[in-house]
């Protein structure tokens, strides 16, 4: 199972160093199935027993792109895993370069956690699967380092996870499009994680607020 934590706009370098130290000690050895996406200001240069990923980047090595992070900056911290397409970035209008980001990350053999998800209006219209397919049509679904994270927008940060039957239906459909590991994200917590992970075709979770404290993230990992 893959356990990924998106810390969003939380943690400083100092607090994330403490977070990483605790997680490193708990893991004991390197585990490629544990991924943590800290804010870029908190990237650590030291080796970790988990994969450190970037929440955002610009598809360039470097250049005249004010406020952006290029490959050169990620390389400095040994980062080879990126999050692309998260709905919170799509809403901000910052994911207009999704295909360019994907193609760049693929070119440089990054592990990619690619987020898809529908809003409540789309769900209620019965067009969820059609909408999700449209989000995936622009990327290479056969890319060997791809992980797909299904995160219904109406469940992100609301404390209300999607219905188990809906998650199961979506994940089953996604297996017809790609062989990539499939994660579920959206108000995952210690009360629902076991049921979510028991869903057929669920290969793990992408956790937000429930992973902000390292002790809570470890509880989720240990089950």
């Amino acid at each position: 199972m893959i356990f990924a934590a998106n810390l969003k706009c939380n943690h400083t370098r100092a607090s994330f160093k403490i977070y990483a130290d605790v997680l490193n000690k708990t893991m004991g050895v390197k585990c490629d199935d544990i991924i943590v996406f800290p804010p870029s200001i908190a990237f650590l240069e030291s080796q970790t027993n988990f994969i450190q990923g970037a929440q955002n980047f610009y598809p360039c090595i470097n250049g005249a792109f004010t406020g952006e992070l290029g490959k050169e900056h990620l390389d400095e911290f040994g980062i080879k895993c990126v999050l692309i397409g998260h709905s919170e970035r799509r809403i901000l209008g910052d994911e207009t370069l999704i295909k360019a980001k994907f193609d760049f990350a693929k070119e440089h053999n990054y592990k990619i956690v690619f987020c898809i998800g529908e809003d409540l209006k789309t769900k209620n219209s019965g067009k969820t699967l059609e909408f999700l397919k449209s989000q995936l049509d622009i990327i290479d679904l056969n890319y060997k380092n791809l992980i797909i994270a299904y995160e219904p927008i109406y469940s992100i940060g609301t404390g209300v996870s999607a219905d188990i039957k809906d998650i199961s239906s979506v994940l089953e459909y996604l297996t017809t499009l790609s062989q990539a590991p499939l994660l579920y994200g959206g108000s995952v917590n210690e009360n629902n994680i076991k049921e979510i992970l028991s869903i057929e075709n669920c290969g793990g979770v992408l956790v937000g607020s429930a992973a902000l404290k390292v002790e809570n993230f470890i509880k989720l990992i240990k089950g």
Side-chain angles (χ1 to χ4, degrees), residues 3 188-190 193 207 210-211 216-223:
F3 295 86
V188 176
N189 56 56
E190 61 180 324
I193 189 169
V207 188
N216 293 342
F217 187 41
I218 290 170
K219 285 182 182 178
L220 297 181
I221 294 171
K222 290 186 173 181

Side-chain angles (χ1 to χ4, degrees), residues 13 43-47 52 76-77:
R13 182 168 296 163
F43 288 158
L44 300 176
E45 294 184 73
S46 57
Q47 293 294 315
Q52 183 176 216
E76 186 172 11
F77 297 93

Side-chain angles (χ1 to χ4, degrees), residues 20-36 46-52:
D21 286 346
V22 174
L23 188 54
N24 283 337
K25 184 177 181 180
T26 300
M27 301 312 299
V29 296
K30 185 74 173 182
C31 182
D32 289 340
D33 289 335
I34 308 297
I35 307 171
V36 181
S46 57
Q47 293 294 315
T48 62
N49 288 334
F50 56 89
I51 292 178
Q52 183 176 216

Side-chain angles (χ1 to χ4, degrees), residues 106-208:
K106 175 185 173 182
E107 177 186 353
H108 295 283
N109 201 35
Y110 284 9
K111 182 186 293 291
I112 300 171
V113 178
F114 191 83
C115 299
I116 59 173
E118 83 282 23
D119 60 19
L120 199 55
K121 181 179 179 180
T122 301
K123 178 184 184 297
N124 291 338
S125 71
K127 296 181 179 180
T128 290
L129 301 185
E130 178 184 342
F131 180 78
L132 298 180
K133 185 176 185 302
S134 72
Q135 290 187 312
L136 292 170
D137 279 344
I138 63 172
I139 68 171
D140 178 5
L141 292 172
N142 295 314
Y143 177 52
K144 64 179 181 178
N145 283 331
L146 171 64
I147 298 170
I148 298 173
Y150 170 54
E151 292 197 304
I153 296 172
Y154 55 87
S155 290
I156 297 175
T158 64
V160 181
S161 178
D163 183 83
I164 293 296
K165 290 183 179 179
D166 289 339
I167 300 172
S168 179
S169 176
V170 168
L171 296 186
E172 181 178 4
Y173 172 70
L174 294 178
T175 63
T176 69
L177 303 178
S178 175
Q179 295 183 359
L182 304 175
L183 310 183
Y184 171 75
S187 296
V188 176
N189 56 56
E190 61 180 324
N191 296 321
N192 60 26
I193 189 169
K194 287 185 177 180
E195 187 175 23
I196 289 170
L197 292 179
S198 70
I199 297 173
E200 186 176 4
N201 302 312
C202 182
V205 288
L206 177 56
V207 188

Side-chain angles (χ1 to χ4, degrees), residues 69-115:
L69 296 175
K71 181 178 183 296
E72 185 177 81
H73 308 100
L74 301 184
D75 287 347
E76 186 172 11
F77 297 93
I79 292 175
K80 295 286 288 182
C81 178
V82 294
L83 192 66
I84 299 177
H86 194 283
S87 64
E88 289 172 348
R89 296 209 60 82
R90 292 179 189 259
I91 290 172
L92 289 172
D94 288 346
E95 288 295 344
T96 55
L97 293 173
I98 285 179
K99 178 172 172 50
K101 286 184 176 182
F102 182 92
D103 291 345
F104 184 87
K106 175 185 173 182
E107 177 186 353
H108 295 283
N109 201 35
Y110 284 9
K111 182 186 293 291
I112 300 171
V113 178
F114 191 83
C115 299

